[in-house]
Amino acid sequence: MTETLWPAPVATTPVDATVTIPGSKSVTNRALVLAALADGPGWVRRPLRSRDSRLMADGLRALGVTIEEQVNNDTGGTGGGEAWRVIPAPALRGPASVDVGNAGTVMRFLPPLAVLADGPVHFDGDPRSHERPQHGVIDALRALGARIEDGGRGSFPLTVHGTGALDGGTVQLDASASSQFVSALLLSGARYNNGVEIRHVGGPVPSLPHIRMTVDMLRLAGVQVDAPEDGGEKDVWRVTPGALLGRDLVVEPDLSNAAPFFAAALVTGGRVTVRDWPRHTTQPGDQLRELYTRMGGSCEFTDEGLRFTGGDRIHGIEADLHDVGELTPVIAAVAALADSESHLYGIAHLRLHETDRLAALAKEINGLGGDVSETEDGLRIRPRKLTGGVFHTYEDHRLATAAAVVGLAVPGVQVENVDTTAKTLPDFTAMWDELLTGPVAGG
């Protein structure tokens, strides 16, 4: 099979651009689930329109939820733009079939909702979905009384036999493989007869900020949630049963997707402004401000958003990325271009993401002449002079954006299947080209 290769553009001058980042995937897909479970219609404005969010919307539609896509010029002060009107179904329906693709939020969030359907719901997805951990959700739902057929695999394909209701209650689960196991049960838990109490047993939960995002969004929908960060019991989350409110929600920009654009400022010594960066947010991507500043840049809020400016050198970094694992690929790319060694750790769980991200990053950067080694829970990156070559992406959107960052400084980098960026960042290549030919990227 012939590879489809994208020649990554080389930066010949410092970038100077203003970028509009599409909406957050994490917020969009949580908002869709909450709207589908609400007691009345709601709006999700400025949603991310990507493969992952389309899979979520289509999965909900298969269960009987109406999702109307509209363009609104008058949105009551929200700035207009695209919006999805979500009208909950009187009763979620089965039988139904749902394609989860390779979207972690879809494969984890929809089975706990499907137990409320009035018939069987069959789930399947991309080949990689068969390999990603799903046991936390499956085992927890079974412990709460749900009937699930998975052939003993603990993953896809599987069928949830919905009965229209679930008693819920207390359940133990090991969420050390994915924080989405906890978020998945929290999102639907208020609709269970007795709510849900989740007790994590196992190693540290990765990406805790994503659970905090789930908790905050549930509370905004009128749900009572007890969480550890509010002085509650460690590793225990409780959702009280009750109705969810239909809401009008504006989705923030996806801050994690700003990683390659701010990286361009670091790599070229230029500056990039991301429009509408929130001053207060639960998105883990907000940690880019601190991480990239440690690598040699500086940032400041402006009237337009957040402006990041690169310095004259890139510094290596020692960083625990346990809570922000999705930032690892681009940070590793920047670290490969730094003036000193980097150690990224706390990210063993990345071996279970869209691909084994640690192995892939080491292989691909080393294939360009780099010196990256895997540790038990991360990467050691020793900068070397890199040369051009093919950078494989393994159908992983964050590998593709990492390759583009390397290509800014290394002539001849060719990115295999750059179109995989459509998972969360549609039109990435056009935005990237405009970043270099600016002054304005995105739209």
Side-chain angles (χ1 to χ4, degrees), residues 316-330:
I317 191 173
E318 180 100 4
D320 181 350
L321 301 181
H322 188 258
D323 283 351
V324 289
E326 68 266 32
L327 304 181
T328 300
V330 170

Side-chain angles (χ1 to χ4, degrees), residues 83-107:
W84 287 346
R85 180 165 172 77
V86 182
I87 303 172
L92 296 173
R93 72 182 177 215
S97 294
V98 174
D99 177 8
V100 304
N102 192 18
T105 51
V106 182
M107 66 180 69

